[in-house]
Amino acid sequence: MLTIKQAQKDDLEKILQLQYLAYQSEAKLFPGIDIPPLKQTLSEVFDEFNKGIILKAVNEQDEIIGSVRAYQEQQSVYIGKLMVHPMEQKKGIGTKLLLEIEKLYPNLRYELFTSTKSISNIRLYERLGYKIFRKETLSEELQFAYLEKNQNR
């Protein structure tokens, strides 16, 4: 059985290890580019922990198999680093994490971003009501899609 709960400081190292594993598939979309999630340090994860909320998804063995982060500024919630262990993907865990983080910040505007090459990520977000509102080109290979969902209207 899957359980989603708020991460604690002693979970952060395991979450960072999961991040390095989960973002390998994203890195394969951009050969030769160092993507930021694979370079993040533990102290940077602690900063994110102190700034907002980090959720973890744990299995029956109490292993962390998914995570998501968010923080609020004014009426917007910025969601990032939604990740699921590669062996656990396509089971609805990412959806559950995203819906749970929205519950913790009710009736606000949610924003997140992903690479335009991450078709399955975009499909998930759009299925949950997110819409692309902006694209940003960083290089010839790398373009980000910014998506939002408004609950405060």
Side-chain angles (χ1 to χ4, degrees), residues 79-92:
I79 299 170
K81 309 273 186 343
L82 176 63
M83 67 188 97
V84 176
H85 190 287
M87 302 299 289
E88 301 294 334
Q89 291 177 359
K90 309 286 186 228
K91 297 179 181 177

Side-chain angles (χ1 to χ4, degrees), residues 2 5 21 53 57 65 67 72 75-76 78 89 94 98 104 108 111-112 129 140 143:
L2 181 77
K5 46 191 167 186
L21 181 64
I53 293 175
I65 59 169
S67 182
Q72 181 179 347
Q75 296 302 305
S76 289
Y78 296 92
Q89 291 177 359
L98 197 51
L104 294 173
L108 294 167
E111 180 178 322
L112 47 76
E140 205 173 291
Q143 185 180 49

Side-chain angles (χ1 to χ4, degrees), residues 5-17:
K5 46 191 167 186
Q6 204 159 331
Q8 303 303 311
K9 283 187 177 181
D10 60 355
D11 294 319
L12 299 183
E13 193 166 348
K14 286 182 181 149
I15 289 171
L16 183 60
Q17 290 169 357

